């Protein structure tokens, strides 16, 4: 505590200023005014002085106080009018403190005693009073014997009924205690009886007594409701004073609270050392509906911390990431080489991208693709006569936009394949946008030149409209006519690719830890998490510790695109790695670290941050989702559990299915993941009434049994077109049908008749169509609908008729309507439900 004035110190310790000045003077300090400043050293001197005056000075040669305690137990029996006598257990506790006579002579002590009255366990208050009198007499006798046994000390004597006796003992500290007379005992007994009668039938109250010994010490005593020898709390005396071991806080403690992008209520409460309920209460006052598991953003957390009287301290969430980036930047290699280019083949679906790569690789991948289309990124490296080239084959289907975007970012050169007989298509335009966004140069391959109707000029004109200008037209993009079927133009295409790479001067280090990007990932049943990665710098070796996104692990094996195990992979080499803790996301970057503990720490930090950010987004849209269905009573939801073979396909399918949502039907992906269909997936499908979609995966034996028993819907697919078409058909069936009306006939009222049986009858002429008896009708007056209802009767002369055709007169009785007038028209109609589709 800093230096304070005498008045401030008095306010802190809770004493009068005049009294504190007196104690300061007794301690020999020079302070005389309330505004004088007292230092910490002066406080210590004052504290030692107070301790010395209270008998607690350090280094005293002999004890200044002697405390004697005595406890006696007894039993009293009393006669009663009932069949048996009553037994009362009495416990008498005594405590006496003796001090040196010299101390008493220097500072007279005002005698003070806290008497703990014995509790008498009895149902009769009169008997309890008699027992208390006997106990008091026994205590007085024992006190007199103790006083005789210690003549050299001045005792703090117990309280007695007579005030004159107390005054006499105050004048004569060494005087012997006088025993109470018989009259005093009788008066005390009568007093006890009256109190017992007044409190009979009422619950006992705790008695607390606080008796002042002097200005600094207080003797507190109380009857804590003891129950004699049967247990329970005993009454006890407590001695307390101003020189306590603890100090009352003088001001609120202001703490620095760390705030990030996402902050849990429980974490903030722990930092502020308050209960989480207090934080929730403050949030409620601020208008934020929250609970202890709520996650608040940085702005809300800042207002909350300031509202609760603390200082917000913004902490970078990316501190670990920054340290990791600094450590990686510090590793500079010495062996710099020219690396092979990474080429991504992009274009519209069925324009021959994979067939082109097959000819270059001399393989038959396209014939093995489901549906003849590529549905995940394939990574290969090929040794050609012109040098080594690494290829990434991306899907052309519209659902794989994210894959094409990743391919463009991870590549050096983009080969844009355009069919000569088909020209520019939507995915071709998208590929051009991805390449330009990534700043990657393009080489255009005009494929299918061997087919009839091939028109390369058409492709050039359409690409020119997209600002991709051929080099022979004055642009900077090479256009190479090729044929993946015959192989024409393939060598020129490879030369153009390597020429473009030579202009870019691609280099990399081989003596630094490996770095790269995840091209694709999947969960293999026998090998676990498998990630296809492209090494961009350094060397990746078996046994290295890798950090991949929010996953990490030690590389157990490296597998090339031909399925062979290799020991290491250098720059521009695509490989599969095994040994990760989980399946990383496609597009995640990987780095090799020396410390597994560091890799685990960063991975767990990324998982936590991802979880918190997702939770914060969900809570931010909670109110929107809550009120999203208001005004849409016919909203239908189609639940799907989606399992795929690779992460990229899962991402593409999820985006495509969610994009089909309408105002009436929505697709909800209850659960999604990579790998086979497990028992947990099936149980979740049964609970949420969802359809299970397996894309290139199958259900295990246990899952199949549950599916059969629960009659769940399970569908397997291998082509993404079929998934989208089937889901669209199911969603169309969930749409409410369209209601269409068809007017069957119109009759004009010519005369009004009254029938005793049917009431009002409208004599009408059918002027259009046919009037049917069982159909609904409308009554029109001056071409305005005034009533909708049903026909009660339809007659032709006196006979009932089911229908009346055009040009025939009839009598019409309208049910529950009597306001039909001459000139009104009665319109008969029916409704049809028309099935809708998306």
């Amino acid at each position: 505590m800093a230096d304070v004035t005498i008045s401030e110190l008095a306010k802190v310790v809770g004493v009068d200023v005049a009294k504190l000045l007196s104690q300061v003077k007794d301690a020999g300090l020079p302070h005389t005014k309330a505004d004088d400043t007292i230092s910490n050293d002066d406080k210590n001197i004052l504290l030692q002085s107070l301790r010395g005056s209270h008998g607690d000075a350090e280094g005293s040669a002999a004890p200044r106080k002697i405390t004697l305690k005595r406890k006696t137990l007894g039993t009293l029996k009393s006669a009663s009018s009932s069949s048996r006598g009553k037994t009362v257990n009495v416990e008498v506790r005594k405590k006496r403190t003796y001090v040196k006579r010299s101390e008493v002579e220097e500072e007279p002590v005002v005698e003070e005693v806290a008497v703990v009255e014995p509790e008498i366990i009895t149902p009769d208050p009169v008997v309890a009073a008699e027992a208390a009198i006997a106990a008091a007499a026994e205590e007085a006798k024992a006190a007199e014997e103790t006083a005789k046994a210690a003549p050299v000390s001045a005792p703090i004597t117990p309280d007695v009924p007579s005030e004159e006796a107390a005054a006499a003992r105050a004048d004569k500290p060494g005087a012997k205690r006088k025993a109470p007379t018989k009259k005093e005992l009788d008066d005390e007994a009568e007093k006890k009886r009256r109190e017992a009668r007044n409190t009979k039938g009422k619950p006992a109250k705790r008695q607390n007594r606080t008796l002042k010994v002097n200005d600094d010490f207080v003797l507190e005593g109380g009857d804590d409701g003891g129950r004699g020898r049967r247990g329970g709390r005993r009454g006890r005396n407590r001695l307390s004073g101003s020189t306590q071991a603890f100090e009352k806080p003088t001001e609120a403690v202001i703490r620095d609270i760390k705030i990030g992008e996402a902050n849990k209520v429980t974490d903030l409460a722990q930092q502020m050392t308050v209960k989480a309920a207090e934080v929730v209460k403050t949030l409620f006052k601020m208008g934020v509906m929250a609970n202890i598991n709520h996650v608040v953003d940085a702005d809300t957390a800042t207002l909350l911390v300031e509202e609760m009287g603390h200082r917000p301290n913004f902490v970078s969430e990316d501190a670990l990431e920054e340290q990791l980036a600094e450590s990686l930047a510090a590793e500079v290699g010495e062996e710099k080489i020219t690396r092979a280019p990474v080429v991504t083949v992009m274009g519209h679906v069925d324009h021959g991208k994979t067939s082109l790569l097959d000819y270059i690789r001399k393989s038959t991948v396209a014939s093995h693709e489901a549906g003849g289309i590529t549905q995940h990124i394939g990574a290969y490296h090929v040794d050609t006569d012109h040098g080594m080239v690494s290829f990434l084959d991306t899907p052309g289907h519209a659902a794989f936009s994210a894959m094409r975007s990743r391919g463009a970012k991870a590549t050096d050169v983009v080969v844009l394949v355009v069919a000569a007989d088909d020209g520019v298509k939507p995915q071709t335009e998208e590929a051009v946008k991805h390449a330009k966004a990534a700043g990657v140069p393009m080489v255009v391959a005009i494929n299918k030149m061997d087919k009839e109707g091939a028109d390369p000029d058409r492709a050039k004109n359409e690409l020119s409209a997209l600002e991709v200008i051929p080099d022979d037209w004055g642009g900077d993009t090479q256009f190479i006519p090729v044929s993946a079927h015959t192989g024409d133009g393939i060598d020129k295409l490879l030369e153009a690719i390597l020429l473009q790479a030579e202009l870019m001067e691609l280099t990399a280090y081989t003596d630094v830890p490996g770095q790269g990007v995840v091209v694709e990932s999947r969960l293999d049943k026998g090998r676990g998490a498998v990630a296809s990665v492209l090494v961009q710098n350094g060397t990746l070796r078996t046994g290295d510790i890798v950090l991949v996104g929010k996953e990490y692990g030690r590389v157990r094996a490296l597998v090339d695109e031909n399925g062979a195990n290799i020991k290491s992979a250098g720059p521009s080499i695509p490989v599969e790695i095994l040994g990760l803790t989980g399946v990383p996301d496609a597009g995640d970057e990987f780095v090799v670290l020396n410390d597994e503990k560091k890799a685990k720490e960063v991975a767990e930090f990324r998982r936590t941050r991802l979880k918190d950010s997702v939770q914060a987004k969900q809570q931010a849209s909670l109110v929107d989702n809550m009120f999203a269905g208001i005004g849409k009573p016919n909203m239908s939801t189609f639940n799907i559990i989606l399992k795929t073979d690779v992460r990229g396909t899962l991402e593409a399918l999820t985006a495509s299915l969610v994009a089909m949502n309408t105002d009436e039907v929505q697709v909800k992906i209850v659960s999604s993941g990579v790998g086979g269909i497990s028992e947990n997936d099936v149980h979740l499908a049964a609970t949420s009434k969802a359809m299970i979609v397996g894309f290139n995966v199958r259900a295990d034996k246990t899952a199949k049994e549950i599916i059969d028993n629960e009659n769940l819907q399970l569908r397997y697919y291998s082509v993404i077109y079929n998934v989208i078409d089937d889901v669209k058909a199911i969603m169309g069936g969930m749409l409410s049908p369209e209601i269409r009306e068809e007017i069957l006939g119109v009759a004009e009222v010519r005369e009004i008749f009254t029938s005793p049986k049917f009431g009002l009858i409208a004599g009408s002429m059918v002027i259009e169509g046919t009037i049917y008896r069982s159909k609904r009708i409308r009554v029109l007056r001056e071409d305005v609908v005034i009533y909708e209802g049903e026909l009660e009767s339809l007659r032709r002369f006196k006979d009932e008729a089911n229908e009346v055709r055009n040009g025939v007169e009839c009598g019409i009785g309208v049910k529950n309507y009597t306001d039909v007038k001459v000139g009104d028209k009665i319109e008969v109609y029916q409704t049809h439900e028309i099935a809708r589709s998306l």
Side-chain angles (χ1 to χ4, degrees):
M1 183 184 291
D3 295 347
V4 295
T5 63
I6 295 294
S7 59
E8 290 175 349
L9 180 61
K11 184 177 180 181
V12 169
V13 300
V15 299
D16 186 65
V17 177
K19 178 184 174 183
L20 183 59
L21 284 172
S22 176
Q23 292 175 337
V24 168
K25 181 180 179 182
D26 294 341
L29 297 174
H31 306 79
T32 58
K33 296 180 181 180
D35 297 335
D36 291 345
T37 302
I38 183 169
S39 64
N40 287 333
D41 294 337
D42 294 338
K43 293 176 191 173
N44 291 330
I45 296 173
L46 176 61
L47 180 61
Q48 294 298 329
S49 174
L50 291 175
R51 286 179 177 173
S53 64
H54 298 155
D56 292 335
E58 298 178 359
S60 55
R64 299 184 179 184
K65 298 182 181 180
I66 298 176
T67 303
L68 301 178
K69 296 182 180 179
R70 179 182 297 177
K71 180 173 71 173
T72 58
L73 301 174
T75 303
L76 294 179
K77 292 185 178 181
S78 63
S80 176
S81 57
S82 60
S83 59
R84 58 179 180 175
K86 296 183 179 179
T87 302
V88 180
N89 295 326
V90 178
E91 177 183 302
V92 179
R93 286 174 287 169
K94 306 170 189 173
K95 178 179 178 182
R96 183 173 297 279
T97 301
Y98 297 90
V99 298
K100 284 186 176 181
R101 186 178 297 279
S102 59
E103 298 292 335
V104 177
E105 291 174 354
E106 291 176 4
E107 184 177 354
V109 179
V110 179
E111 70 174 278
E112 174 67 33
V113 173
V115 179
V116 179
E117 299 180 6
E119 182 179 359
I120 304 169
I121 303 175
T122 175
D124 193 346
V126 177
V127 176
E130 295 174 355
I133 294 168
E138 183 177 353
E139 183 185 7
K141 183 178 179 182
E144 186 176 358
E145 292 174 358
T146 306
K148 292 179 180 180
V152 296
S153 299
I156 300 178
T157 58
D159 198 5
V160 296
S162 175
E163 296 180 0
E164 292 80 359
R169 285 195 302 277
D171 295 336
K172 300 177 181 180
K176 296 181 180 179
R177 176 170 177 171
K178 181 180 178 182
T181 63
K182 184 175 182 304
K183 183 178 182 303
E184 292 174 347
L185 293 176
D186 292 342
D187 293 342
E188 187 69 19
E190 182 62 28
K191 182 179 179 182
K192 294 286 185 180
R193 290 191 186 96
R194 286 196 301 269
E195 291 177 356
R197 292 191 190 97
N198 293 335
T199 59
K200 186 174 183 181
K202 298 180 181 179
K205 298 181 179 178
R206 294 176 60 132
Q207 298 180 2
N208 294 315
R209 301 180 183 181
T210 303
L211 304 177
K212 196 169 185 181
V213 176
N214 56 28
D215 289 338
D216 294 323
F217 287 85
V218 176
L219 190 65
E220 298 181 353
D223 182 1
D224 291 334
R227 291 175 174 80
R229 289 178 293 177
R230 297 187 184 180
R233 297 177 58 188
R234 301 284 193 268
R236 58 176 63 90
N237 297 335
R238 297 183 300 276
L239 188 65
S240 62
S242 59
T243 56
Q244 300 172 0
F246 59 90
E247 201 174 76
K248 178 182 177 182
T250 58
E251 58 184 6
V253 179
I254 300 176
R255 294 180 171 83
D256 291 327
I257 309 302
K258 296 180 180 179
I259 294 177
E261 295 178 3
N263 308 272
K264 286 185 178 180
V265 170
T266 50
D267 295 341
L268 293 174
Q270 187 175 6
Q271 291 189 65
M272 292 185 286
T273 64
V274 297
K275 293 183 179 179
E278 291 294 327
V279 179
V280 173
K281 183 178 179 181
T282 305
L283 285 171
F284 272 33
K285 292 180 180 178
M286 295 168 57
V288 179
M289 304 296 291
N291 54 38
I292 60 175
N293 297 319
H294 197 81
V295 177
V296 296
D297 55 20
D299 295 337
T300 306
T302 302
L303 296 175
L304 172 66
V305 170
E306 292 176 347
E307 181 72 18
M308 301 191 72
H310 298 281
R311 287 187 298 267
N313 184 15
F314 295 97
V315 178
S316 174
E317 293 281 345
D318 299 327
L320 281 175
E321 300 285 357
E322 293 169 0
Q323 295 176 6
L324 178 63
E326 291 176 0
S327 63
L328 294 175
E331 297 177 355
V332 179
E334 297 179 356
E335 299 179 7
K336 192 174 184 179
I337 63 169
T338 301
R339 65 176 179 84
V342 178
V343 179
T344 298
V345 182
M346 304 175 74
H348 192 71
V349 63
D350 289 336
H351 275 204
K353 299 181 297 298
T354 304
S355 299
L356 187 65
L357 284 176
D358 288 347
Y359 189 89
I360 297 173
R361 298 176 59 220
K362 303 296 188 293
S363 65
T364 57
V365 174
S367 60
H368 295 92
E369 291 273 8
I373 63 171
T374 303
Q375 301 183 108
H376 54 78
I377 293 181
Y380 324 97
H381 77 281
V382 180
D383 290 320
T384 67
D385 295 337
H386 306 280
M388 192 188 79
V389 181
S390 293
F391 287 99
L392 300 179
D393 182 15
T394 65
H397 191 271
F400 297 95
S401 175
M403 281 192 190
R404 288 191 292 276
S405 176
R406 285 196 299 272
K409 292 178 181 177
T411 192
D412 301 316
V413 179
V414 168
V415 173
L416 183 64
V417 178
V418 182
D421 60 341
D422 203 13
V424 174
K425 292 297 180 182
Q427 272 66 60
T428 311
E429 297 180 10
E430 184 188 316
V432 172
K433 292 179 181 178
H434 287 316
K436 289 185 176 180
V440 179
M442 283 186 291
V443 174
V444 178
I446 304 177
N447 196 17
K448 300 185 180 182
M449 291 296 296
D450 58 312
K451 295 186 67 174
E452 294 183 6
D455 187 2
D457 291 335
R458 173 189 174 186
K460 290 183 179 180
N461 288 326
E462 292 177 348
L463 285 173
S464 298
L466 300 177
E467 298 181 358
V468 180
I469 311 299
D471 53 353
D472 53 351
W473 287 12
D476 56 356
T477 305
Q478 301 180 70
F479 280 63
I480 311 296
V482 298
S483 172
H485 183 66
T486 62
D488 293 340
I490 299 297
D491 289 340
K492 291 183 179 179
L493 178 63
L494 293 175
E495 288 178 2
I497 293 172
L498 292 171
L499 174 62
Q500 184 67 50
E502 186 176 349
L503 294 174
M504 298 173 67
E505 298 181 355
L506 303 174
T507 59
Y509 292 96
T510 59
D511 58 343
V512 297
Q515 300 179 29
V517 65
V518 177
V519 177
E520 192 57 273
S521 60
R522 67 182 187 275
L523 185 63
D524 190 279
K525 189 172 183 180
R527 300 187 296 172
V530 179
S532 299
V533 301
L534 176 67
V535 181
Q536 295 175 318
N537 191 31
T539 303
L540 179 62
R541 298 180 176 84
T542 303
D544 284 346
I545 298 168
V546 293
L547 173 66
V548 189
K550 59 181 184 300
E551 308 295 341
Y552 74 99
R554 187 181 294 274
V555 178
R556 291 192 286 109
L558 291 175
V559 183
D560 63 10
E561 69 268 21
N562 298 319
N565 288 338
I566 57 177
K567 296 295 183 181
S568 63
S572 301
I573 301 295
V575 290
E576 288 184 345
I577 59 175
L578 282 66
L580 299 178
T581 56
V583 180
D585 293 332
D588 285 346
E589 296 182 353
F590 81 88
V591 294
V592 175
L593 301 179
N594 298 324
D595 187 5
E596 185 174 3
K597 183 178 179 182
K598 181 69 173 179
K600 181 179 180 181
E601 182 182 4
V602 176
E604 289 179 349
F605 165 74
R606 290 176 178 175
R607 287 195 201 104
T608 304
R609 184 175 60 179
L610 177 63
K611 180 180 177 182
D612 291 343
S613 61
V614 169
Q615 187 176 358
K617 291 179 181 178
Q618 290 174 347
Q619 290 172 347
S621 61
L622 184 61
V623 176
D624 296 337
N625 294 335
M626 185 182 302
F627 295 104
I630 294 179
K632 301 176 182 178
N634 297 325
M635 174 70 72
S636 300
T637 302
F638 180 31
N639 294 331
I640 292 178
I641 292 179
L642 181 61
K643 300 300 288 288
T644 65
D645 55 342
V646 295
R647 178 71 67 178
T649 305
L650 175 66
E651 182 184 67
L653 266 176
T654 302
S656 299
L657 294 177
V658 172
M660 292 192 295
N661 288 344
T662 67
D663 293 338
E664 297 182 45
V665 183
Q666 290 188 347
V667 173
K668 182 179 180 182
I669 307 297
V670 178
S671 175
S672 62
V674 175
I677 299 169
S678 64
E679 182 180 355
N680 292 335
D681 298 326
V682 176
H683 285 307
L684 182 58
T687 303
S688 59
K689 298 180 181 179
M691 184 180 80
I692 305 173
V693 174
F695 192 90
N696 287 336
V697 295
R698 296 294 181 266
D700 57 26
K701 183 178 179 181
T702 306
K704 287 181 180 178
E705 292 176 355
I706 300 174
I707 290 171
D708 295 337
N709 294 334
E710 298 289 339
N711 293 324
L712 300 177
Q713 194 173 8
L714 169 64
R715 296 192 182 186
Y716 293 136
Y717 298 93
S718 59
V719 180
I720 193 171
Y721 294 121
N722 298 337
V723 182
I724 296 174
D725 292 342
D726 285 1
V727 172
K728 185 180 294 186
I730 294 173
M731 292 176 66
M734 297 175 66
L735 291 172
S736 58
E738 181 181 352
I739 307 298
R740 293 184 182 177
E741 286 187 1
E742 180 185 1
I743 298 176
L744 302 176
V746 179
E748 183 179 357
V749 179
R750 301 288 178 86
E751 194 68 45
I752 303 297
F753 304 98
T754 302
S755 170
K757 183 177 180 180
F758 298 104
L760 191 68
I761 300 296
S764 308
M765 170 68 74
V766 179
I767 59 176
E768 183 181 336
T770 304
I771 302 297
Y772 293 91
R773 181 179 183 182
S774 58
K775 306 297 183 182
R776 294 185 60 82
I777 68 161
R778 295 190 184 98
V779 179
L780 287 78
R781 183 171 296 164
E782 297 179 358
D783 295 328
V784 176
V785 177
I786 61 174
Y787 176 76
E788 290 189 17
E790 300 176 357
L791 286 181
E792 187 173 24
S793 65
L794 178 63
R795 288 177 176 268
R796 174 86 175 106
F797 298 106
K798 293 185 178 181
D799 299 328
E800 290 282 349
N802 290 326
E803 62 182 45
V804 179
R805 299 183 181 276
N806 186 15
V808 179
E809 293 181 346
C810 62
I812 299 174
V814 181
K815 190 175 183 179
N816 298 328
Y817 187 72
T818 59
D819 192 29
V820 179
K821 296 182 180 180
V822 176
D824 290 349
K825 293 180 180 180
I826 298 176
E827 181 181 86
V828 179
Y829 68 96
Q830 67 178 1
T831 58
H832 299 282
E833 290 186 354
I834 307 299
R836 299 163 58 198
S837 61
L838 292 177

